C-alpha cells in the first residue's frame, strides 16, 4: 500500500514539475492582438540545414480576421528535441497534412504562432468548439473598451492615485461586528471611480459572444452591514485610480479592483489591502 501511495505521489510531483507553466489567453483577446487568424493545412515542412528549426507552410482555407488575405503563410518553428537536444514541458511540433486553427502574431518583428500557451490548435479530428466558433465569426466587431477587466496579464497593474490611508484616518470609531470586508471598486477607462460593490454579493454580467464582463451589480441578497456601509462610504472618497491599458494596443479600458478594508477594535484604526 505504501509503495502504491509513493508511486502516485511521484507521478503527481512529476506532473506538477514538468507541466508547461503558462496562461492561455481568452480567445477574443488573442484574436484582437493577432495579425492573422485562420484555418489552414500544412502543405510543407522543411528543416533548416542545421535541423534546429523548420519552416511550415499553411494553405489557408478560411480567414477570420479583417485585413489582407494571403493564400499561404510561412512560419519558422523551433525543431523537436531529437534535433535540438533540448527539451522543455512547453515543447510542441507541427506536421505536414495537419489542419490548424492559427492565431498568428508578431514577435520581435517576425510573424509566428505557437501550439502551446495559445488558442492555436490542430483541428483534424477535433472541431472548433461552438463557443469559440461564435467568437471567431464575430471577432471583427469586438471593441475592447466596452468590457470590464480584472486580473488579465495582458494589461498593466493599476493602483490608487488618491491616497487611501489618509482617507481611512478619518473613519468612524465604533464597536463593529465582523469589521472586515472585501469590496469591488469599478474604475472607468480614464481612471475615475464609478461604483463600489460588495464582493460576496457581486454579480457579473457577461457578454454571450466573447465571455467578458460588461457590467456588475450588487445582488442585495444579504442586508448590508453597518461596517460595510461605513467602509463603502470611505472608499467612495478614493476618486482617482491609475488608467488601465491593453499592453499591445495602448487602449484604455474599464476595470475592477478588489480591496480589503478592516477595522481594529483594539486600536480603533482602519486599514486596507489591495
Amino acid at each position: 500500500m505504501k509503495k502504491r501511495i509513493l508511486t502516485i505521489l511521484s507521478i503527481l510531483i512529476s506532473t506538477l514539475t514538468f507541466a508547461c507553466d503558462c496562461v492561455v489567453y481568452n480567445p477574443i483577446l488573442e484574436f484582437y492582438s493577432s495579425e492573422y487568424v485562420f484555418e489552414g493545412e500544412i502543405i510543407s515542412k522543411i528543416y533548416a540545414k542545421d535541423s534546429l528549426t523548420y519552416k511550415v507552410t499553411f494553405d489557408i482555407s478560411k480567414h477570420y480576421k479583417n485585413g489582407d488575405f494571403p493564400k499561404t503563410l510561412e512560419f519558422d518553428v523551433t525543431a523537436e528535441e531529437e534535433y535540438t537536444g533540448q527539451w522543455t514541458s512547453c515543447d510542441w511540433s507541427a506536421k505536414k497534412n495537419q489542419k490548424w486553427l492559427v492565431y498568428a502574431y508578431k514577435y520581435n518583428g517576425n510573424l509566428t504562432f505557437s501550439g502551446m500557451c495559445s488558442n492555436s490548435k490542430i483541428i483534424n479530428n477535433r472541431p472548433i468548439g461552438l463557443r469559440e466558433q461564435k467568437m471567431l465569426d464575430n471577432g471583427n466587431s469586438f471593441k475592447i473598451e466596452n468590457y470590464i477587466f480584472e486580473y488579465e496579464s495582458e494589461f498593466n497593474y493599476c493602483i490608487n492615485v488618491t491616497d487611501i490611508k489618509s482617507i481611512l484616518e478619518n473613519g468612524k470609531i465604533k464597536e463593529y461586528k465582523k469589521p472586515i470586508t472585501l469590496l469591488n471598486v469599478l474604475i472607468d477607462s480614464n481612471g475615475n471611480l464609478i461604483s463600489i460593490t460588495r464582493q460576496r454579493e457581486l454579480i457579473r454580467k457577461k457578454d454571450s459572444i466573447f465571455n467578458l464582463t460588461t457590467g456588475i451589480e450588487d445582488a442585495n441578497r444579504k442586508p448590508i452591514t453597518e461596517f460595510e456601509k461605513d467602509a463603502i462610504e470611505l472608499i467612495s472618497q478614493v476618486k482617482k485610480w491609475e488608467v488601465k491599458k491593453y499592453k499591445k494596443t495602448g487602449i484604455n479600458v474599464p476595470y475592477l479592483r478588489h480591496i480589503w478594508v478592516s477595522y481594529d477594535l483594539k486600536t480603533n484604526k482602519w486599514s486596507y489591502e489591495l
Side-chain angles (χ1 to χ4, degrees), residues 162-208:
T162 303
D163 183 19
I164 299 177
K165 185 178 179 180
S166 63
I167 289 174
L168 294 184
E169 288 175 352
N170 297 316
K172 296 177 181 178
I173 299 175
K174 294 182 181 179
E175 287 294 320
Y176 293 109
K177 294 181 180 180
K178 296 182 179 180
I180 185 170
T181 187
L182 179 58
L183 301 176
N184 309 291
V185 182
L186 181 59
I187 313 299
D188 71 14
S189 57
N190 293 313
N192 299 310
L193 174 69
I194 299 176
S195 66
I196 298 174
T197 53
R198 298 172 293 168
Q199 173 67 21
R200 66 192 179 113
E201 295 293 292
L202 178 65
I203 294 178
R204 290 177 176 84
K205 297 179 181 179
K206 293 280 189 175
D207 178 277
S208 62

Side-chain angles (χ1 to χ4, degrees), residues 206-224:
K206 293 280 189 175
D207 178 277
S208 62
I209 297 175
F210 305 124
N211 194 34
L212 292 174
T213 302
T214 57
I216 64 168
E217 61 182 40
D218 193 311
N220 294 314
R221 290 169 296 198
K222 295 182 180 180
I224 189 168

Side-chain angles (χ1 to χ4, degrees), residues 12-158:
L12 288 173
I13 291 170
S14 176
T15 300
L16 290 172
T17 302
F18 296 107
C20 186
D21 184 17
C22 64
V23 176
V24 179
Y25 292 167
N26 180 310
I28 186 55
L29 292 180
E30 189 164 9
F31 182 104
Y32 178 70
S33 59
S34 294
E35 294 290 322
Y36 298 99
V37 181
F38 64 86
E39 290 181 38
E41 181 177 350
I42 297 176
I43 56 174
S44 173
K45 179 178 180 178
I46 302 174
Y47 286 88
K49 289 183 179 180
D50 59 9
S51 297
L52 297 180
T53 63
Y54 58 84
K55 186 185 296 291
V56 291
T57 302
F58 281 93
D59 178 46
I60 300 173
S61 57
K62 185 172 184 177
H63 279 279
Y64 285 105
K65 188 156 186 177
N66 286 341
D68 58 328
F69 302 105
K71 178 57 180 172
T72 61
L73 280 172
E74 295 180 339
F75 299 90
D76 289 316
V77 180
T78 301
E80 298 85 350
E81 176 198 6
E82 60 189 282
Y83 298 105
T84 65
Q86 299 178 343
W87 179 86
T88 75
S89 58
C90 293
D91 283 354
W92 62 279
S93 65
K95 299 178 181 179
K96 188 177 178 180
N97 299 324
Q98 285 179 339
K99 294 179 181 178
W100 281 72
L101 168 65
V102 174
Y103 294 76
Y105 57 94
K106 287 284 185 68
Y107 181 74
N108 289 336
N110 298 314
L111 190 66
T112 188
F113 80 105
S114 176
M116 189 67 70
C117 304
S118 166
N119 290 286
S120 296
K121 59 180 73 71
I122 301 168
I123 56 174
N124 286 70
N125 301 310
R126 185 178 58 184
I128 300 168
L130 293 177
R131 173 172 285 184
E132 187 171 12
Q133 186 64 64
K134 189 175 183 180
M135 180 281 296
L136 291 167
D137 293 338
N138 293 275
N140 292 296
S141 66
F142 176 71
K143 294 186 181 299
I144 196 170
E145 61 270 27
N146 292 342
Y147 299 90
I148 299 168
F149 296 90
E150 293 181 63
Y151 303 113
E152 295 83 0
S153 61
E154 305 93 319
F155 300 83
N156 60 305
Y157 180 81
C158 297

